[in-house]
């Protein structure tokens, strides 16, 4: 059966978490799979599903909040002993401090938007004299794309071997 959740615009339909939860409850569903869009990364939606007595198929709201920024995820992994690329993930975003951190890290380095992805808010900086202009440009793009201009800095690896992990867990500690 199909359950309408609103109008044709995303803001009027599939982004209306209360309408989705209401439809799930009316239909007798026991769980909600948020798909692979906005609601799959929305910690408040995950919490609302749980609070409605339904199972959210995906990470908990708490996990999303801890892993919601690259800086937070990197700090969490480093604290657990996972090797990470050298860099700066701090909340202090003063341009002079970031320039000092860039010198400490060394060049080339990457400036990345702390929130977001898809290649937006990323700049490779090959020397100190390129840093200030790239920082400003990256922060502006991050603000426009993700609503936050926080960045992190990390050593740029010119010939990386990319390994990506998907971590699966259940609600029983597995």
């Amino acid at each position: 059966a199909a359950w309408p959740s609103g109008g044709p615009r995303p803001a009027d339909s599939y982004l209306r978490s209360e309408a989705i939860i209401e439809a799930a409850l009316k239909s007798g569903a026991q769980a909600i799979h948020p798909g692979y869009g906005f609601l799959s990364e929305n910690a408040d939606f995950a919490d609302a599903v749980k609070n409605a007595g339904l199972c959210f198929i995906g990470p908990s709201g708490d996990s999303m909040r801890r892993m919601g920024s690259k800086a937070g995820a990197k700090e969490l992994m480093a604290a657990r002993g996972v090797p990470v690329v050298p860099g700066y993930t701090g909340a202090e975003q003063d341009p002079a401090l970031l320039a000092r951190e860039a010198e400490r890290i060394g060049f080339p380095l990457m400036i990345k938007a702390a929130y977001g992805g898809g290649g937006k808010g990323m700049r490779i900086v090959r020397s100190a004299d390129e840093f200030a202009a790239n920082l400003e440009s990256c922060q502006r793009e991050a603000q426009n794309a993700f609503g936050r201009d926080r960045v992190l800095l990390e050593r740029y690896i010119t010939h990386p071997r990319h390994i990506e992990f998907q971590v699966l867990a259940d609600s029983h500690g597995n």
Side-chain angles (χ1 to χ4, degrees):
W3 294 83
S5 61
R9 295 180 340 153
D12 297 333
S13 58
Y14 74 87
L15 293 180
R16 291 183 54 225
S17 58
E18 71 283 351
I20 293 169
I21 292 169
E22 181 182 333
L25 292 170
K26 284 181 180 177
S27 73
Q30 297 173 331
I32 293 179
H33 185 289
Y36 302 99
F38 298 107
L39 292 178
S40 68
E41 299 176 12
N42 185 316
D44 293 336
F45 180 63
D47 290 343
V49 170
K50 181 180 176 184
N51 292 338
L54 300 166
C55 177
F56 181 79
I57 309 298
S60 69
D62 182 52
S63 291
M64 281 190 233
R65 286 182 187 90
R66 284 195 273 167
M67 299 299 284
S69 83
K70 290 181 189 85
K74 190 171 180 178
E75 290 166 2
L76 182 63
M77 293 301 102
R80 302 293 194 282
V82 176
V84 296
V85 175
Y88 173 77
T89 59
E92 176 60 49
Q93 296 287 295
D94 177 69
L97 174 99
L98 292 172
R100 287 191 303 276
E101 288 295 322
E103 290 286 346
R104 180 187 62 78
I105 296 162
F107 297 93
L109 66 81
M110 173 105 40
I111 305 172
K112 291 183 176 181
Y115 299 91
K120 291 192 178 296
M122 296 175 67
R123 301 291 185 280
I124 298 169
V125 181
R126 300 193 185 279
S127 64
D129 61 325
E130 297 176 6
F131 183 76
N134 278 286
L135 173 64
E136 184 179 319
S137 173
C138 185
Q139 287 174 322
R140 185 173 49 251
E141 185 174 356
Q143 180 66 43
N144 290 337
F146 311 117
R148 301 177 186 177
D149 68 355
R150 181 176 173 182
V151 299
L152 60 89
L153 309 176
E154 64 184 26
R155 174 73 50 80
Y156 177 66
I157 301 172
T158 54
H159 300 292
R161 289 189 325 235
H162 181 82
I163 300 172
E164 186 167 320
F165 295 89
Q166 295 292 323
V167 179
L168 302 176
D170 63 21
S171 60
H172 306 287
N174 299 310

